[in-house]
Each structure stands twice: as structure tokens, then as C-alpha cells.
Amino acid sequence: MSGGSSAHLNRNGITPLQQMVASGSGAIITSLLVTPLDVVKIRLQAQKNPFPKGKCFVYCNGLMDHLCVCENGNSKAWYKAPGHFNGTLDAFVKIVRGEGIKALWSGLSPTLVMAVPATVIYFTCYEQLHAVLRVRMGGYAKEAPLVAGGTARVFAVTIISPLELIRTKLQAEKQSYRQLTDCIRGAVRSGGWLSLWRGLGATLLRDVPFSAMYWSNYEMGKKWLCERYDASEPTLAITFTSGAVSGSVAAIVTLPFDVVKTRRQVELGELLAKKLTHQASASTFSVMKHIVAQDGFGGLLAGFLPRVIKVAPACAIMISTYEIGKAFFRKRNQERIVRPLQTSSI
């Protein structure tokens, strides 16, 4: 690599484009490995609270919510009528036996459409902000991961939110892109441009604290494990463990907001199906009050085990593959810098 191109390297020794490739690859691998867990989770949830035909529900692979997927008319949706499952393992076995192993990766395509760009934006923003804040925060540099993680999530969620709405509409009704455009224009005319960011508040209330806690705990955990095992660079085991633990802690703390986000997205799917995108919805805390009144405080912790089981491996796999990708590009860049120097010295 020439001197001009090496100037574009950041503090981690890689370029922003290489960061994007590493995070995008991580999102793809994570989706491939975690989607079966999410399919089983949705089936188990639907079994307890069945969704009528045409009603949307949240589909998430642990990175962030992506869209609602519906069974509507003759469109091919992966959601099936819920079966009689006695638990996670039983659901795995019965789905494979009854529908084939491919059913465990149902809905993968729409997940990737949203997961990859969202994750690329999120991780790249975090890295850039973290590098800047570590220098500028001085004595408070230890808090840089917390601030960078929360800020990066705000940026990523705000950008992706309209895309999520569009994808939801495409899944809710079988229609052409021209029809979708007309529908969105109508929604904007009646509700204004802000209608494209419907439900953003609930998403931010959950995802921003999650990201802030996740990155803060991850960086601390990674540093502590490196010191404990006398590792100059974090190993795969260190990044995997740090990612799983920090993801679990953040998932547990933000679970009530995850429950609210699920309720609001289901509501969003119903409104889209009825072409009522302009209709106002209850606030986040109003939804919380309704849940407590209906199901008690335990209702705010619904899906505790499935969420942790899903988020922990998703975070661990994502951060591990991301760190491996960065290490690969860092080594490659170093070799490109050293090779011309060695050649010129001969």
C-alpha cells in the first residue's frame, strides 16, 4: 500500500470500507446461524398467542428488528399455523420433521435485506465515533464505548426506520413497487414525513440503552480477559465470551422496552394492512401501563428466556466475526505497507 492510501487507515489499521465489509460479513454469518433460533422463538410465541391470518409479527435475528412478515392471500410467507410444541428442542425436531430443515431458515432473505445495511451503518459509526471520543474525552475515555455505542445506534435506527416501514408494507400486502410508492405518498400527505418514522421512539428507548451497555461491557470484558490470560490481542474465545455476556446483560435490562416494541410493531402491521398508516398510536409508556394492567409486571418480562437465548449467541457470533474480519484486513494492510519498504531496501 502506498503512503497516500495508508493515510486513510484509522486507529485500528483498517479503512472505513474494510470496516463495512467486516461488519457486513458478520451480519450475514450471524443471520445464517441465528435465524433457526428466531424461527423457533416465533413459533413458540405464536403457539401461546396465535396470530390470525394476515396479522404481522416481529421478526428479529438479534441484531435489531427488521420487519413484520405476514401470511396474506397467496403470497409465500414463512409463517405457518402454530403446532403443539413442548419446548425449544421439541419445536426444532417437529419443524424439521414436518416441514423440512429449510423451514428453519424461513424469512432469511428479508432479514438479510435489512440486517446487512443496518449493521454496516451501526458498526462503522461506532468504530469512527469510538476512535474520536477516546482522544477527545481525555480522562473520561473509559466512557467512550458507552457514548459511541448509544450515538451510533441512534444514527443507524433513524436511517433504517423508513426502510423498515417500507419492507413491512411490502410484506403486509402483495403489491407492485408503484402501488407502494403511491401508498407511501398518500401516507406522507396525510401524516407528514414523520409518519415514515412511526415507532421510532420505542425502538430508541430499547436499542440505545442496549447498545450503550453492550459496547461498554464488551470493551471492559475484552480488556479484563486479555489481562487475565496475558493476551496481547483478543482471541476468538475472548471476543466470543465478551460479546455473549455483554449482550445477555443488555438484553435483560432492556427487555421491557423490547416487549413494547413488539406490541407496537404488531399494531403497525395491522394498521398497514387496513391502510391506516396515519392513525395515531399509544405512547410507549401508555403501552407499558396497558401491559401491566392486563398481565401484571411480569408481562413486561415476557419472552425473557427466548430473548437471552437468541441475543447472546447473536452478539457473540457478530462481534467475533467482525473482529476476525478486522484482524484479517489489518494484517493485509500491514503486509502491503512493509512489502514496498523491504523491496526498496534491497
Side-chain angles (χ1 to χ4, degrees), residues 48-306:
K48 294 180 181 178
N49 299 288
F51 293 97
K53 185 176 181 179
K55 185 173 181 179
C56 290
F57 56 93
V58 172
Y59 189 83
C60 173
N61 73 343
L63 300 176
M64 63 174 60
D65 290 340
H66 303 304
L67 69 163
C68 294
V69 184
C70 301
E71 184 177 46
N72 187 16
N74 296 320
S75 60
K76 294 182 179 179
W78 66 273
Y79 176 64
K80 306 286 185 180
H84 299 286
F85 306 129
N86 298 319
T88 302
L89 183 59
D90 183 58
F92 265 110
V93 174
K94 288 182 177 177
I95 289 172
V96 172
R97 284 180 179 175
E99 304 169 37
I101 196 167
K102 288 184 179 180
L104 293 176
W105 281 270
S106 300
L108 180 61
S109 297
T111 299
L112 290 175
V113 168
M114 293 301 295
V116 174
T119 306
V120 167
I121 294 170
Y122 172 45
F123 274 72
T124 305
C125 285
Y126 169 77
E127 289 285 7
Q128 299 299 316
L129 286 170
H130 186 217
V132 172
L133 291 175
R134 271 193 306 179
V135 176
R136 298 196 175 185
M137 290 181 70
Y140 297 95
K142 289 183 179 179
E143 307 301 325
L146 187 146
V147 178
T151 306
R153 181 65 91 177
V154 170
F155 188 62
V157 169
T158 302
I159 291 177
I160 292 297
S161 188
L163 294 178
E164 184 175 351
L165 181 67
I166 292 170
R167 290 292 162 185
T168 301
K169 184 64 178 176
L170 280 174
Q171 291 294 326
E173 298 179 29
K174 191 174 183 179
Q175 56 184 284
S176 67
Y177 282 97
R178 183 173 180 177
Q179 290 174 315
L180 175 65
T181 302
D182 293 338
C183 181
I184 292 173
R185 285 175 180 171
V188 171
R189 279 196 300 268
S190 60
W193 284 101
L194 292 179
S195 62
L196 296 180
W197 279 267
R198 181 185 178 87
L200 179 63
T203 307
L204 293 175
L205 281 172
R206 183 202 62 184
D207 287 357
V208 172
F210 179 96
S211 297
M213 285 186 286
Y214 171 77
W215 285 109
S216 180
N217 292 331
Y218 171 73
E219 297 290 355
M220 285 193 297
K222 182 174 69 172
K223 182 180 179 181
W224 182 78
L225 288 173
C226 284
E227 292 174 351
R228 181 176 177 82
Y229 293 101
D230 196 25
S232 57
E233 292 290 335
T235 62
L236 176 61
I238 289 175
T239 57
F240 191 92
T241 303
S242 301
V245 173
S246 57
S248 298
V249 171
I252 293 170
V253 174
T254 59
L255 182 58
F257 293 108
D258 185 58
V259 174
V260 173
K261 181 63 166 57
T262 300
R263 292 287 184 97
R264 287 178 68 98
Q265 280 201 315
V266 169
E267 177 193 69
L268 173 62
E270 291 178 321
L271 293 176
L272 285 170
K274 297 175 182 177
K275 299 183 179 180
L276 297 173
T277 51
H278 62 281
Q279 182 173 316
S281 62
S283 68
T284 298
F285 291 102
S286 296
V287 176
M288 280 187 167
K289 287 180 181 179
H290 177 72
I291 292 172
V292 172
Q294 186 178 30
D295 305 317
F297 284 99
L300 293 175
L301 299 177
F304 171 83
L305 190 58

